[in-house]
Amino acid sequence: MTSHANKFNKAADAIAFDLNHRQTIQFNISKYNLAVEKGRERYYDLSLAKTRAASIKRYMLSNWDTLLCQFEENALKNGMQVLWAKDTQQANEYIRQIVVDNHAQLLVKSKSMTTEEIDLNTVVEKIGCKSVETDLGEFIVQVAGEKPYHIVTPAMHKSKADIAKLFNKEFNTPINSTPEEMTDYVRGVLRKQFTTADIGVTGANFLLADIGGVAVTENEGNALMSTSFPKIHIVISGIEKIIPSMAHLGLFWPLLASHGTGQQITNYNSIFTGPRKKNEVDGPEKMVVILLDNGRSELFSDNDCYEALACIRCGACLNACPVYKTIGGYTYDTTYSGPIGSVITPFFRGFKDYGHLSFASSLCGACAEVCPVKIPLPKLLLQNRKKSVEKDLRPLTETLAMKIFSLASTNRIAYDRVLPLFKNLAFAPFNFILWGPKRKMPTFASKSFSKRYRKDKKNEEKK
Amino acid sequence: MINAGSKQEILSRIKNAKRQEIPLELELPDLSSAIYKDIIPDALACFKTELESVAGNCILCHSENQLADVLREVLIDYKGEKIFCKDTEIAQFLDKNNIPFSTQTADFNTMQVGITACEFLVARTGSVVVSSHGDSGRQMIIFPPIHFVLAKKNQLVNYVEDALLFLQKKYADGMPSLVSFISGPSRTADIEKTLVLGAHGPKKLYVFIYE
Ligand code: SF4
């Protein structure tokens, strides 16, 4: 077993029985579920909306290169700069260059998982530019020195008491601060940063091919603040975020909101089409879009999992997943967690280290049911398992146990000769190691099915 | 910054995957049926209900005169230097009606109320569509602690799609560098999913619609 898989097992073991963690997550997700239920009612025909979105994203996948080129052409016409990054290293090199060329001291960042993927904070801080997370949830985990716990709700694992304690320690705010007071405190601190920063960084929820635009969805207003004051706006987007037309946002914005948070539409849905225009009074002087591949085009070559590139990162599959709810976001030790994370991470970071994630699923199907773009996640998890086995990446104990089990169980006569008691005893160590001490294996029946069948048949014939 | 090589590399990997030849698993969906609920009883009432459901305020006025009266009344507690407005047309209107306000850069940081115009209003979602085009620019739509939007009744459209189409028509020569659909005051639910208004943007949003 690789050290990653080992770490995963240990962390999962520890957290699955951590009652505090479970309570916090259950509380947060139950609130999310209530909101989503309400959000659904806003639709006249949600299932048709999902079918349309799924179909547009599949259309995008079959015309991916054309759409990307169309986006670039239009974005350039709009006065943006477009940079193609094949991996995180290249993306970081671009950013480093921009920071250095512009003598940037302060960078404000709005929530974006893609910037987590390339670990932007570490890179710019290394060259002496301060990088500040401005989304409240991200700000909290940055202050705590942690990573986002959830792709939509970064501080989901913390209760308000946890956060009040953290703020008290770091900023000397009252220990019994309410969420309102803490939000107001952060607002005050960050307003100064927004208005003095050199660079504002955002992700992209959608790239719009037909107008060369970048659509960003947010609730707090930090992305708008980050792009209204600093003189440079950098967008970091995965290449799969592209959709054919701006008109499709009428479908995707409400869909993202209803699945991400249960809102009818997210508070701020913005479309950026470039730096400040000649006739405009403010806005950045420069807008740079970094198109990040980092394994995506390789995932595209996979005959099964390419569909995962239709994902709009709404987070619904995480909230629906019983495994996520039990082991939590950190145990995955990846940028993208939950079912979608388990499918795509092995392609981004290797099956050797991350193949085990696809085995951490009960294949209950809840994720596929909630997915707004109809990605068949359980099927893809199964395909990943197959790949891990074919690549000989499963732990030796499991491979051996499976071999022995298949030898023994496929040989009917040999199998029946062994008394049930011995069968139970013989499998006990395997059960303990593989199944885990906290789960119970069914015991072998006192009479095997084939014995009973033959006996019953004889009795039948006698009648 | 060299990037031609990476672009070719990425695009050729995508081309080589030959997904173009794989038939789409999903048939072309029904594109004519409605997915959102109807606008009832009318666009104006629907807009008001939706905006108020996300903690925004909507005030209907029958005439410019009534609008002036209402504004004077709600702004009575604020000093002139705390009310900021960059929009020339609105400024003229405020002047004409003796409503004090500031355009001084020195007052920008300490403003309490910012007044702007807008592009459209969306009935189904209670959204205000704003853009960087015009005198207010980007900062005025996100910086003010309280945001006042003045809109005419004929700026109201039914669905998000409609607003997007109208925008494209209006700006056929190129969109403003920023267009934003705002649905309510800025909010966060990042602490225990407890809703808090006024995260980084306005804490309150007032939309005044007049005929
Ligand atoms: S896989 Fe589907 S449900 Fe999961 S985050 Fe992506 S779009 Fe949402």
Side-chain angles (χ1 to χ4, degrees):
Chain A
M1 213 183 293
T2 68
S3 65
H4 282 88
N6 236 328
K7 217 172 114 196
F8 175 85
N9 285 349
K10 284 212 181 98
D13 238 6
I15 202 148
F17 296 91
D18 176 341
L19 283 186
N20 272 337
H21 173 261
R22 191 171 283 216
Q23 256 164 18
T24 308
I25 297 311
Q26 271 175 357
F27 179 72
N28 280 325
I29 291 187
S30 71
K31 279 196 158 181
Y32 162 86
N33 287 340
L34 271 177
V36 167
E37 210 34 62
K38 265 208 197 140
R40 281 171 180 278
E41 286 165 19
R42 314 302 294 262
Y43 275 94
Y44 175 70
D45 191 345
L46 177 60
S47 117
L48 179 59
K50 284 166 79 166
T51 309
R52 278 186 200 164
S55 152
I56 291 171
K57 274 288 187 174
R58 299 312 184 282
Y59 170 85
M60 161 249 150
L61 286 175
S62 33
N63 297 277
W64 201 8
D65 49 335
T66 321
L67 289 172
L68 283 171
C69 291
Q70 195 192 345
F71 169 81
E72 186 190 34
E73 200 189 313
N74 289 325
L76 292 176
K77 262 190 230 152
N78 290 338
M80 294 183 206
Q81 194 182 357
V82 179
L83 300 172
W84 301 70
K86 58 179 181 215
D87 51 24
T88 58
Q89 214 183 340
Q90 199 168 30
N92 282 325
E93 185 46 40
Y94 292 146
I95 293 162
R96 210 186 58 82
Q97 199 66 49
I98 299 171
V99 169
V100 171
D101 286 353
N102 294 280
H103 311 287
Q105 304 285 315
L106 178 63
L107 177 153
V108 281
K109 196 176 142 236
S110 74
K111 198 180 134 17
S112 141
M113 289 313 289
T114 320
T115 59
E116 290 297 329
E117 190 180 330
I118 65 174
D119 200 8
L120 177 130
N121 290 351
T122 317
V123 172
V124 298
E125 301 231 325
K126 228 185 248 163
I127 47 172
C129 175
K130 198 170 159 215
S131 172
V132 180
E133 294 288 353
T134 60
D135 171 85
L136 180 62
E138 292 265 2
F139 179 85
I140 294 167
V141 294
Q142 190 182 35
V143 169
E146 297 170 0
K147 291 261 162 206
Y149 177 90
H150 185 286
I151 61 172
V152 176
T153 323
M156 197 194 238
H157 59 306
K158 290 197 184 303
S159 67
K160 62 178 179 231
D162 292 339
I163 300 165
K165 214 157 91 196
L166 174 74
F167 278 23
N168 171 266
K169 197 177 128 229
E170 297 293 329
F171 309 117
N172 217 2
T173 50
I175 186 91
N176 50 2
S177 296
T178 61
E180 285 80 8
E181 288 161 351
M182 290 187 273
T183 306
D184 210 46
Y185 174 78
V186 177
R187 176 188 172 97
V189 171
L190 291 183
R191 286 219 141 195
K192 287 186 202 98
Q193 317 269 3
F194 286 126
T195 47
T196 54
D198 306 293
I199 300 179
V201 176
T202 68
N205 293 89
F206 304 98
L207 299 173
L208 315 170
D210 64 340
I211 63 157
V214 175
V216 177
T217 295
E218 52 151 350
N219 270 314
E220 298 185 359
N222 53 323
L224 277 178
M225 288 290 272
S226 305
T227 50
S228 295
F229 292 92
K231 62 178 192 289
I232 299 170
H233 175 194
I234 304 179
V235 178
I236 303 170
S237 170
I239 47 177
E240 83 286 11
K241 292 290 172 69
I242 195 138
I243 55 173
S245 162
M246 168 168 117
H248 291 141
L249 292 172
L251 171 68
F252 280 107
W253 277 342
L255 209 56
L256 181 59
S258 59
H259 288 75
T261 55
Q263 291 167 277
Q264 172 167 229
I265 190 160
T266 316
N267 230 71
Y268 297 103
N269 283 295
S270 309
I271 303 171
F272 298 94
T273 46
R276 168 186 185 171
K277 290 195 159 184
K278 274 202 198 78
N279 58 356
E280 293 180 344
V281 298
D282 56 12
E285 291 158 19
K286 206 193 258 179
M287 180 172 172
V288 185
V289 180
I290 298 177
L291 298 174
L292 179 70
D293 181 347
N294 200 30
R296 288 163 173 83
S297 57
E298 220 160 287
L299 173 57
F300 195 52
S301 319
D302 188 272
N303 281 332
D304 309 299
C305 289
Y306 76 94
E307 269 193 283
L309 290 160
C311 175
I312 58 168
R313 304 270 187 272
C314 71
C317 59
L318 281 64
N319 298 338
C321 177
V323 175
Y324 183 90
K325 283 189 264 197
T326 308
I327 65 171
Y330 286 146
T331 309
Y332 290 82
D333 195 20
T334 55
T335 307
Y336 305 103
S337 52
I340 184 68
S342 300
V343 169
I344 61 179
T345 310
F347 290 90
F348 294 176
R349 300 202 200 162
F351 270 84
K352 186 165 163 287
D353 288 338
Y354 291 94
H356 62 274
L357 294 178
S358 302
F359 290 80
S361 163
S362 60
L363 300 177
C364 69
C367 48
E369 211 166 289
V370 296
C371 179
V373 285
K374 301 195 171 177
I375 299 174
L377 290 156
K379 186 184 115 192
L380 306 189
L381 287 167
L382 268 177
Q383 290 298 340
N384 273 2
R385 290 187 185 184
K386 193 168 152 228
K387 280 183 196 105
S388 280
V389 173
E390 280 167 1
K391 289 181 196 218
D392 251 344
L393 290 172
R394 293 306 295 161
L396 193 63
T397 39
E398 181 184 302
T399 320
L400 260 177
M402 285 299 174
K403 284 233 166 82
I404 296 171
F405 183 76
S406 84
L407 264 179
S409 57
T410 49
N411 187 335
R412 193 69 262 159
I413 300 166
Y415 199 61
D416 272 355
R417 287 224 176 97
V418 187
L419 287 173
L421 177 66
F422 289 119
K423 277 195 260 190
N424 280 329
L425 280 177
F427 277 99
F430 293 115
N431 296 345
F432 191 81
I433 297 164
L434 296 170
W435 219 238
K438 287 184 173 116
R439 272 184 294 189
K440 215 175 149 204
M441 263 299 251
T443 48
F444 286 90
S446 56
K447 225 173 233 154
S448 78
F449 173 75
S450 70
K451 271 190 190 163
R452 269 180 63 183
Y453 180 77
R454 265 176 279 153
K455 199 171 152 216
D456 285 356
K457 210 171 157 197
K458 260 187 215 153
N459 288 346
E460 224 18 57
E461 281 161 7
K462 270 186 208 155
K463 270 184 202 163
Chain B
M1 281 187 247
I2 315 147
N3 87 80
S6 303
K7 177 182 169 183
Q8 288 324 322
E9 201 180 313
I10 295 167
L11 289 176
S12 67
R13 247 202 309 269
I14 292 176
K15 275 199 197 98
N16 288 339
K18 294 208 172 58
R19 294 274 164 246
Q20 298 90 329
E21 286 147 37
I22 294 180
L24 292 178
E25 272 176 43
L26 295 148
E27 302 160 29
L28 204 65
D30 165 8
L31 291 175
S32 56
S33 308
I35 51 173
Y36 302 119
K37 289 192 175 158
D38 289 342
I39 311 284
I40 28 178
D42 58 62
L44 197 57
C46 184
F47 175 82
K48 188 169 156 62
T49 315
E50 292 300 340
L51 181 63
E52 285 170 353
S53 79
V54 289
N57 299 287
C58 179
I59 295 149
L60 309 176
C61 306
H62 296 297
S63 63
E64 285 200 17
N65 280 342
Q66 198 192 357
L67 173 68
D69 291 343
V70 172
L71 280 176
R72 213 175 287 115
E73 203 183 309
V74 287
L75 288 171
I76 197 139
D77 295 333
Y78 299 96
K79 288 203 190 92
E81 65 262 29
K82 299 287 180 198
I83 302 166
F84 208 87
C85 177
K86 280 169 121 177
D87 188 293
T88 341
E89 229 174 277
I90 298 177
Q92 278 168 6
F93 172 77
L94 295 175
D95 269 337
K96 200 173 85 191
N97 289 284
N98 294 320
I99 300 169
F101 66 96
S102 170
T103 50
Q104 302 295 313
T105 323
D107 290 327
F108 182 83
N109 272 317
T110 49
M111 80 167 91
Q112 284 175 326
V113 180
I115 309 179
T116 73
C118 70
E119 297 278 356
F120 299 104
L121 304 174
V122 182
R124 178 68 285 157
T125 53
S127 312
V128 180
V129 186
V130 294
S131 83
S132 54
H133 182 84
D135 305 331
S136 295
R138 295 189 183 203
Q139 295 173 0
M140 282 301 284
I141 58 185
I142 193 67
F143 188 78
I146 300 172
H147 185 190
F148 278 20
V149 178
L150 309 190
K152 290 204 184 86
K153 201 177 153 196
N154 63 12
Q155 287 178 289
L156 197 59
V157 302
N158 285 344
Y159 296 98
V160 172
E161 274 97 338
D162 301 328
L164 291 167
L165 286 178
F166 281 128
L167 276 169
Q168 252 171 329
K169 225 185 261 166
K170 181 171 172 187
Y171 296 107
D173 297 336
M175 296 269 287
S177 69
L178 166 73
V179 168
S180 193
F181 285 60
I182 301 177
S183 315
S186 144
R187 66 185 55 220
T188 181
D190 274 351
I191 301 179
E192 275 194 357
K193 293 254 163 210
T194 308
L195 178 68
V196 180
L197 296 178
H200 295 297
K203 297 181 177 185
K204 285 183 184 158
L205 173 68
Y206 286 85
V207 180
F208 300 86
I209 306 176
Y210 62 100
E211 284 177 62

PDB file of all heavy atoms in Angstrom, chain A residues 62-83:
ATOM      1  N   SER A  62     -17.412  17.568 -27.200  1.00  0.00           N
ATOM      2  CA  SER A  62     -17.102  17.093 -28.550  1.00  0.00           C
ATOM      3  C   SER A  62     -16.583  18.219 -29.453  1.00  0.00           C
ATOM      4  O   SER A  62     -16.170  17.958 -30.570  1.00  0.00           O
ATOM      5  CB  SER A  62     -18.279  16.347 -29.182  1.00  0.00           C
ATOM      6  OG  SER A  62     -19.490  16.871 -28.771  1.00  0.00           O
ATOM      7  N   ASN A  63     -16.613  19.461 -28.959  1.00  0.00           N
ATOM      8  CA  ASN A  63     -16.060  20.566 -29.761  1.00  0.00           C
ATOM      9  C   ASN A  63     -15.064  21.386 -28.945  1.00  0.00           C
ATOM     10  O   ASN A  63     -14.890  22.576 -29.156  1.00  0.00           O
ATOM     11  CB  ASN A  63     -17.188  21.503 -30.218  1.00  0.00           C
ATOM     12  CG  ASN A  63     -18.160  20.790 -31.122  1.00  0.00           C
ATOM     13  OD1 ASN A  63     -17.926  20.659 -32.308  1.00  0.00           O
ATOM     14  ND2 ASN A  63     -19.234  20.288 -30.553  1.00  0.00           N
ATOM     15  N   TRP A  64     -14.409  20.704 -28.033  1.00  0.00           N
ATOM     16  CA  TRP A  64     -13.622  21.392 -27.020  1.00  0.00           C
ATOM     17  C   TRP A  64     -12.539  22.297 -27.610  1.00  0.00           C
ATOM     18  O   TRP A  64     -12.439  23.481 -27.282  1.00  0.00           O
ATOM     19  CB  TRP A  64     -12.997  20.360 -26.071  1.00  0.00           C
ATOM     20  CG  TRP A  64     -12.601  20.897 -24.753  1.00  0.00           C
ATOM     21  CD1 TRP A  64     -12.858  22.145 -24.256  1.00  0.00           C
ATOM     22  CD2 TRP A  64     -11.881  20.201 -23.728  1.00  0.00           C
ATOM     23  NE1 TRP A  64     -12.347  22.264 -22.990  1.00  0.00           N
ATOM     24  CE2 TRP A  64     -11.739  21.096 -22.641  1.00  0.00           C
ATOM     25  CE3 TRP A  64     -11.344  18.918 -23.611  1.00  0.00           C
ATOM     26  CZ2 TRP A  64     -11.080  20.739 -21.470  1.00  0.00           C
ATOM     27  CZ3 TRP A  64     -10.695  18.553 -22.444  1.00  0.00           C
ATOM     28  CH2 TRP A  64     -10.568  19.458 -21.375  1.00  0.00           C
ATOM     29  N   ASP A  65     -11.725  21.736 -28.515  1.00  0.00           N
ATOM     30  CA  ASP A  65     -10.610  22.523 -29.041  1.00  0.00           C
ATOM     31  C   ASP A  65     -11.104  23.733 -29.835  1.00  0.00           C
ATOM     32  O   ASP A  65     -10.578  24.833 -29.708  1.00  0.00           O
ATOM     33  CB  ASP A  65      -9.668  21.652 -29.885  1.00  0.00           C
ATOM     34  CG  ASP A  65     -10.412  20.816 -30.900  1.00  0.00           C
ATOM     35  OD1 ASP A  65     -11.609  20.524 -30.677  1.00  0.00           O
ATOM     36  OD2 ASP A  65      -9.826  20.465 -31.940  1.00  0.00           O
ATOM     37  N   THR A  66     -12.162  23.518 -30.621  1.00  0.00           N
ATOM     38  CA  THR A  66     -12.712  24.630 -31.406  1.00  0.00           C
ATOM     39  C   THR A  66     -13.197  25.748 -30.483  1.00  0.00           C
ATOM     40  O   THR A  66     -12.936  26.926 -30.720  1.00  0.00           O
ATOM     41  CB  THR A  66     -13.921  24.144 -32.235  1.00  0.00           C
ATOM     42  OG1 THR A  66     -13.621  22.842 -32.721  1.00  0.00           O
ATOM     43  CG2 THR A  66     -14.213  25.071 -33.380  1.00  0.00           C
ATOM     44  N   LEU A  67     -13.912  25.366 -29.423  1.00  0.00           N
ATOM     45  CA  LEU A  67     -14.455  26.370 -28.506  1.00  0.00           C
ATOM     46  C   LEU A  67     -13.343  27.137 -27.790  1.00  0.00           C
ATOM     47  O   LEU A  67     -13.435  28.343 -27.594  1.00  0.00           O
ATOM     48  CB  LEU A  67     -15.391  25.716 -27.490  1.00  0.00           C
ATOM     49  CG  LEU A  67     -16.727  25.229 -28.064  1.00  0.00           C
ATOM     50  CD1 LEU A  67     -17.494  24.420 -27.021  1.00  0.00           C
ATOM     51  CD2 LEU A  67     -17.571  26.408 -28.527  1.00  0.00           C
ATOM     52  N   LEU A  68     -12.294  26.409 -27.399  1.00  0.00           N
ATOM     53  CA  LEU A  68     -11.185  27.080 -26.718  1.00  0.00           C
ATOM     54  C   LEU A  68     -10.530  28.113 -27.632  1.00  0.00           C
ATOM     55  O   LEU A  68     -10.210  29.227 -27.210  1.00  0.00           O
ATOM     56  CB  LEU A  68     -10.146  26.051 -26.249  1.00  0.00           C
ATOM     57  CG  LEU A  68     -10.508  25.264 -24.992  1.00  0.00           C
ATOM     58  CD1 LEU A  68      -9.510  24.132 -24.761  1.00  0.00           C
ATOM     59  CD2 LEU A  68     -10.538  26.183 -23.763  1.00  0.00           C
ATOM     60  N   CYS A  69     -10.356  27.739 -28.903  1.00  0.00           N
ATOM     61  CA  CYS A  69      -9.746  28.674 -29.861  1.00  0.00           C
ATOM     62  C   CYS A  69     -10.652  29.881 -30.086  1.00  0.00           C
ATOM     63  O   CYS A  69     -10.184  31.013 -30.177  1.00  0.00           O
ATOM     64  CB  CYS A  69      -9.446  27.990 -31.187  1.00  0.00           C
ATOM     65  SG  CYS A  69      -8.119  26.791 -31.030  1.00  0.00           S
ATOM     66  N   GLN A  70     -11.955  29.594 -30.154  1.00  0.00           N
ATOM     67  CA  GLN A  70     -12.913  30.681 -30.336  1.00  0.00           C
ATOM     68  C   GLN A  70     -12.858  31.639 -29.138  1.00  0.00           C
ATOM     69  O   GLN A  70     -12.872  32.855 -29.295  1.00  0.00           O
ATOM     70  CB  GLN A  70     -14.311  30.087 -30.479  1.00  0.00           C
ATOM     71  CG  GLN A  70     -15.327  31.068 -31.036  1.00  0.00           C
ATOM     72  CD  GLN A  70     -16.752  30.545 -30.884  1.00  0.00           C
ATOM     73  OE1 GLN A  70     -16.993  29.364 -30.620  1.00  0.00           O
ATOM     74  NE2 GLN A  70     -17.716  31.443 -31.055  1.00  0.00           N
ATOM     75  N   PHE A  71     -12.778  31.050 -27.952  1.00  0.00           N
ATOM     76  CA  PHE A  71     -12.670  31.883 -26.754  1.00  0.00           C
ATOM     77  C   PHE A  71     -11.428  32.772 -26.837  1.00  0.00           C
ATOM     78  O   PHE A  71     -11.495  33.978 -26.613  1.00  0.00           O
ATOM     79  CB  PHE A  71     -12.613  31.028 -25.478  1.00  0.00           C
ATOM     80  CG  PHE A  71     -12.240  31.824 -24.264  1.00  0.00           C
ATOM     81  CD1 PHE A  71     -13.190  32.575 -23.594  1.00  0.00           C
ATOM     82  CD2 PHE A  71     -10.927  31.868 -23.812  1.00  0.00           C
ATOM     83  CE1 PHE A  71     -12.853  33.352 -22.493  1.00  0.00           C
ATOM     84  CE2 PHE A  71     -10.572  32.644 -22.709  1.00  0.00           C
ATOM     85  CZ  PHE A  71     -11.537  33.378 -22.052  1.00  0.00           C
ATOM     86  N   GLU A  72     -10.307  32.151 -27.172  1.00  0.00           N
ATOM     87  CA  GLU A  72      -9.055  32.912 -27.199  1.00  0.00           C
ATOM     88  C   GLU A  72      -9.142  34.072 -28.185  1.00  0.00           C
ATOM     89  O   GLU A  72      -8.778  35.206 -27.872  1.00  0.00           O
ATOM     90  CB  GLU A  72      -7.881  32.005 -27.560  1.00  0.00           C
ATOM     91  CG  GLU A  72      -6.547  32.729 -27.447  1.00  0.00           C
ATOM     92  CD  GLU A  72      -5.381  31.950 -28.016  1.00  0.00           C
ATOM     93  OE1 GLU A  72      -5.571  31.227 -29.008  1.00  0.00           O
ATOM     94  OE2 GLU A  72      -4.266  32.079 -27.473  1.00  0.00           O
ATOM     95  N   GLU A  73      -9.654  33.758 -29.363  1.00  0.00           N
ATOM     96  CA  GLU A  73      -9.742  34.781 -30.404  1.00  0.00           C
ATOM     97  C   GLU A  73     -10.573  35.980 -29.913  1.00  0.00           C
ATOM     98  O   GLU A  73     -10.147  37.126 -30.030  1.00  0.00           O
ATOM     99  CB  GLU A  73     -10.387  34.148 -31.635  1.00  0.00           C
ATOM    100  CG  GLU A  73     -10.120  34.886 -32.917  1.00  0.00           C
ATOM    101  CD  GLU A  73     -10.969  34.321 -34.045  1.00  0.00           C
ATOM    102  OE1 GLU A  73     -11.021  33.077 -34.191  1.00  0.00           O
ATOM    103  OE2 GLU A  73     -11.585  35.123 -34.764  1.00  0.00           O
ATOM    104  N   ASN A  74     -11.735  35.688 -29.343  1.00  0.00           N
ATOM    105  CA  ASN A  74     -12.607  36.764 -28.880  1.00  0.00           C
ATOM    106  C   ASN A  74     -12.038  37.499 -27.669  1.00  0.00           C
ATOM    107  O   ASN A  74     -12.173  38.704 -27.539  1.00  0.00           O
ATOM    108  CB  ASN A  74     -13.999  36.229 -28.556  1.00  0.00           C
ATOM    109  CG  ASN A  74     -14.753  35.848 -29.817  1.00  0.00           C
ATOM    110  OD1 ASN A  74     -14.607  36.495 -30.842  1.00  0.00           O
ATOM    111  ND2 ASN A  74     -15.526  34.771 -29.753  1.00  0.00           N
ATOM    112  N   ALA A  75     -11.396  36.758 -26.781  1.00  0.00           N
ATOM    113  CA  ALA A  75     -10.819  37.376 -25.589  1.00  0.00           C
ATOM    114  C   ALA A  75      -9.707  38.345 -25.992  1.00  0.00           C
ATOM    115  O   ALA A  75      -9.589  39.432 -25.429  1.00  0.00           O
ATOM    116  CB  ALA A  75     -10.285  36.308 -24.646  1.00  0.00           C
ATOM    117  N   LEU A  76      -8.904  37.931 -26.975  1.00  0.00           N
ATOM    118  CA  LEU A  76      -7.827  38.812 -27.442  1.00  0.00           C
ATOM    119  C   LEU A  76      -8.407  40.086 -28.042  1.00  0.00           C
ATOM    120  O   LEU A  76      -7.930  41.183 -27.790  1.00  0.00           O
ATOM    121  CB  LEU A  76      -6.947  38.089 -28.472  1.00  0.00           C
ATOM    122  CG  LEU A  76      -6.092  36.931 -27.941  1.00  0.00           C
ATOM    123  CD1 LEU A  76      -5.348  36.235 -29.067  1.00  0.00           C
ATOM    124  CD2 LEU A  76      -5.099  37.433 -26.885  1.00  0.00           C
ATOM    125  N   LYS A  77      -9.477  39.900 -28.827  1.00  0.00           N
ATOM    126  CA  LYS A  77     -10.144  41.069 -29.421  1.00  0.00           C
ATOM    127  C   LYS A  77     -10.628  42.019 -28.334  1.00  0.00           C
ATOM    128  O   LYS A  77     -10.628  43.229 -28.496  1.00  0.00           O
ATOM    129  CB  LYS A  77     -11.353  40.607 -30.241  1.00  0.00           C
ATOM    130  CG  LYS A  77     -11.069  40.505 -31.736  1.00  0.00           C
ATOM    131  CD  LYS A  77     -12.382  40.285 -32.488  1.00  0.00           C
ATOM    132  CE  LYS A  77     -12.244  39.109 -33.442  1.00  0.00           C
ATOM    133  NZ  LYS A  77     -13.523  38.428 -33.683  1.00  0.00           N
ATOM    134  N   ASN A  78     -11.062  41.453 -27.204  1.00  0.00           N
ATOM    135  CA  ASN A  78     -11.552  42.277 -26.094  1.00  0.00           C
ATOM    136  C   ASN A  78     -10.432  42.934 -25.303  1.00  0.00           C
ATOM    137  O   ASN A  78     -10.688  43.621 -24.322  1.00  0.00           O
ATOM    138  CB  ASN A  78     -12.379  41.417 -25.123  1.00  0.00           C
ATOM    139  CG  ASN A  78     -13.693  40.980 -25.730  1.00  0.00           C
ATOM    140  OD1 ASN A  78     -14.175  41.613 -26.663  1.00  0.00           O
ATOM    141  ND2 ASN A  78     -14.262  39.911 -25.211  1.00  0.00           N
ATOM    142  N   GLY A  79      -9.198  42.645 -25.673  1.00  0.00           N
ATOM    143  CA  GLY A  79      -8.078  43.278 -24.982  1.00  0.00           C
ATOM    144  C   GLY A  79      -7.539  42.499 -23.798  1.00  0.00           C
ATOM    145  O   GLY A  79      -6.779  43.024 -22.993  1.00  0.00           O
ATOM    146  N   MET A  80      -7.940  41.231 -23.675  1.00  0.00           N
ATOM    147  CA  MET A  80      -7.361  40.408 -22.603  1.00  0.00           C
ATOM    148  C   MET A  80      -6.075  39.782 -23.124  1.00  0.00           C
ATOM    149  O   MET A  80      -5.835  39.712 -24.320  1.00  0.00           O
ATOM    150  CB  MET A  80      -8.283  39.233 -22.248  1.00  0.00           C
ATOM    151  CG  MET A  80      -9.597  39.600 -21.647  1.00  0.00           C
ATOM    152  SD  MET A  80     -10.471  38.061 -21.236  1.00  0.00           S
ATOM    153  CE  MET A  80     -12.155  38.618 -21.319  1.00  0.00           C
ATOM    154  N   GLN A  81      -5.278  39.292 -22.177  1.00  0.00           N
ATOM    155  CA  GLN A  81      -4.131  38.488 -22.557  1.00  0.00           C
ATOM    156  C   GLN A  81      -4.502  37.050 -22.208  1.00  0.00           C
ATOM    157  O   GLN A  81      -5.103  36.813 -21.154  1.00  0.00           O
ATOM    158  CB  GLN A  81      -2.926  38.949 -21.740  1.00  0.00           C
ATOM    159  CG  GLN A  81      -1.619  38.435 -22.265  1.00  0.00           C
ATOM    160  CD  GLN A  81      -0.448  38.880 -21.391  1.00  0.00           C
ATOM    161  OE1 GLN A  81      -0.613  39.626 -20.428  1.00  0.00           O
ATOM    162  NE2 GLN A  81       0.726  38.395 -21.724  1.00  0.00           N
ATOM    163  N   VAL A  82      -4.195  36.097 -23.087  1.00  0.00           N
ATOM    164  CA  VAL A  82      -4.539  34.703 -22.817  1.00  0.00           C
ATOM    165  C   VAL A  82      -3.262  33.871 -22.757  1.00  0.00           C
ATOM    166  O   VAL A  82      -2.452  33.901 -23.674  1.00  0.00           O
ATOM    167  CB  VAL A  82      -5.482  34.135 -23.900  1.00  0.00           C
ATOM    168  CG1 VAL A  82      -5.813  32.674 -23.612  1.00  0.00           C
ATOM    169  CG2 VAL A  82      -6.761  34.961 -23.988  1.00  0.00           C
ATOM    170  N   LEU A  83      -3.078  33.148 -21.654  1.00  0.00           N
ATOM    171  CA  LEU A  83      -1.879  32.328 -21.489  1.00  0.00           C
ATOM    172  C   LEU A  83      -2.289  30.873 -21.274  1.00  0.00           C
ATOM    173  O   LEU A  83      -3.158  30.587 -20.460  1.00  0.00           O
ATOM    174  CB  LEU A  83      -1.063  32.817 -20.286  1.00  0.00           C
ATOM    175  CG  LEU A  83      -0.554  34.265 -20.343  1.00  0.00           C
ATOM    176  CD1 LEU A  83       0.056  34.672 -19.005  1.00  0.00           C
ATOM    177  CD2 LEU A  83       0.470  34.428 -21.460  1.00  0.00           C
TER     178      LEU A  83
END
